Amino acid sequence: MNVIGSLYFYVCAAVAIAGAIATVTARNPIRGAVSLLVMVVSIAGLFLALSAEFLAAIQLIVYAGAIVVLFLFVIMILGESSSSVHDKKRIVSRTLAAALLGAVSLGAIVLVVGVSTPLQAPRIRAGFGGIDAIGRALFSDWVVPFELSSALLMVAVLGAVAIAKGDIKRPLESAATTPGSASEEQP
Amino acid sequence: MMSLSETIWAVVKILIMVGFLFNVGGLLTWLDRRQSAMIQDRIGPNRAVIKVFGIEFRLGGLLHPLADGVKFFFKEDFIPPRGDKLLFAVAPILVMAPVLALIAVIPFGDKLCVDDLWRTTDTGSLLFPAVPRYGSCLIPVARGGIAAIDLQVASLNVGILYVFALAGQGIVGAALAGWSSDNKFSLLGALRAASQMVSYEVTIGMSLVGALMIYGSVRMGDMVRWQGDHAWGIFIQPLAFFMFFMAAVAESKRIPFDLPEAESELVSGYFTEYSGMKFGMFYFAEYMEVVTSSMLLVTIFLGGWQLPFLHRDGLTIDIGTWRALQLPMNHLTVTAIQVCTFFGKVLFLCWIQCFVRWSLPRFRYDQLMKLCWRILLPLSLANILVTGVVYLLLDHAGPVLGNTLQMIGDLTQAVVAIAITYFVLSIVIGLIRPTRRTSWVVGSTAKLAQRFGGTPRSPRMQA
């Protein structure tokens, strides 16, 4: 990898890590969401360097354009106060759990890097990671898993609709149909 | 690494596109005022004056954008004391940057062969060669020629997906602007903006799928070339054109979709608290969005840089298999005409968008959402299905049908050619024809009535 390439990688990686750290440490939830956006965009930059333009574009469309916006939306509707819970309870047990998890993950990474032989990457063809190659792979070689995963997403969407629909109360309509309840509200 | 000439050409291309975007964006603020004045029967902007040696220059109100700019720079840059100062400053950048970056993938001309533009013969006279319709330049790279230059800042593999990826980033800017202002009106405007843009982005993507299936490419240049060889996208996907147009206007948050900044309800929506150049960036980004959405519409549906029958090798009128006219033209002329055509089409669509803005009233919010989710989205999905079925059927049909389709495509090109000729001729005639001067009566209505001979109710003034 040439100098500019590795410089690009290190800048993107550093920004991604900084964004990730800021996401979990930000006290203000909106700033956390914006840090997540920064991380997502720099990971899309990393995809670009790996000749995965399609993946980079999808990363921006789905994560930056939809999911982060959804986060912002929810935080803005709920308001800052409901989500900024900084309770000091069980701080010791939490710190211990986080340290344990971090140590295990780090150990796993070290183990994998140390034990496994370097990956023999196959020579990539021209157009690898482009829209043609991914489309061909998804709709010919891997069509069954692709369809299964879309069915899974469909189930999730239907489930979300079903759960949300159960809670809808219509105060105006119920008040109109039962005149008794409407008169009770005005003592 | 890029060679020197490649670098120079890249800079030139960027300057052309960005220069066009900035200038037309600024001019559109003027056009919007003139247009509104014309539609509402007013005189329009004429107060900004420059006096040179006692002569007043008004330039038809063209000085107003200039005065706006001066005002933006000298106004106090107010930041709400309890707002989020960092995000407040970042939001206008997040709104502006995607619009600027979006023009990188829009082609404004066919492949340019620099060596074939002109060359000098041995006797020293200039020679303007013509190039073949398909394929590369006359002098191949192997024999010392410069590689053909795409008249497009970045010819990306993902093409249109890049546009979608950037369009999504503008939402974040609007949402952050509203939230960081610490103002309930701004927050409501931001929520409206975010939900509206997320909704209409789905329609924007879905309405284009049918067209992408037919073009067989997501690269903008390939799309335009396909339209030049067959027929313009508006004839092949008319429904998609109108859906994309609506969704694009909704994305730029202009009337009739300007709910996020509805003046009568939310002051100015998500940028209520902004002043000075930060407000200027929101204001200007909106007009630049008009330009970029016009560019996208032109590229995908209106043939990009193509004029009917004008190909890379010159004017060739083919109707089916019948060749009516063939007139070879040199590369320089063709390229110049094509580039001018692209920018002319963009200006025309910008004008249409301004016209729409002053013709329609604002939607109600539930109407806006219903239009998106209950009308446009099902229609675009149906459009994909129908396009797919028809495409499959035509693909298996014989060559006779293919020839007939090519014939119909050529006929649509002829229709476009006639329409453009009529349009240009009527503009020229309208400019040449002497206008009837109307005299302005400055003063009260009574004076005006007197000038025109009084009203039936005031017979005394007829004297």
Side-chain angles (χ1 to χ4, degrees), chain A residues 4 28 30-31 34 37 41 53-54 57-58 60-61 64-65 68-69 72-73 75-77 80 127 129-131, chain B residues 1 84-87 94 157-158 161-162 164-165 168-169 171-172 175-176 179 187 190-191 194-195 198 201 218:
Chain A
I4 297 177
N28 183 330
I30 291 268
R31 286 206 176 181
V34 175
L37 179 73
V41 170
E53 294 109 345
F54 179 70
I58 292 297
L60 284 182
I61 295 172
V68 171
V69 172
L72 284 176
F73 208 79
I75 298 168
M76 277 159 62
I77 287 183
E80 215 181 320
I131 221 165
Chain B
M1 291 301 288
D84 191 322
K85 291 182 182 55
L86 176 69
L87 296 183
L94 275 179
N157 186 359
V158 285
L161 289 178
Y162 172 82
F164 295 150
Q169 312 306 309
I171 310 174
V172 180
L176 286 181
W179 184 82
L187 188 65
L191 287 176
S195 51
V198 167
E201 209 169 296
V218 288

Side-chain angles (χ1 to χ4, degrees), chain B residues 76-136:
Chain B
E76 183 196 351
D77 183 21
F78 177 75
I79 298 175
R82 294 186 57 196
D84 191 322
K85 291 182 182 55
L86 176 69
L87 296 183
F88 190 80
V90 166
I93 302 173
L94 275 179
V95 169
M96 188 92 156
V99 188
L100 277 177
L102 202 144
I103 54 170
V105 288
I106 292 170
F108 58 94
D110 209 341
K111 276 190 193 303
L112 176 73
C113 299
V114 184
D115 289 332
D116 298 334
L117 283 179
W118 63 78
R119 69 182 74 114
T120 44
T121 54
D122 301 332
T123 54
S125 60
L126 280 173
L127 176 72
F128 298 100
V131 293
R133 188 189 296 192
Y134 305 109
S136 53

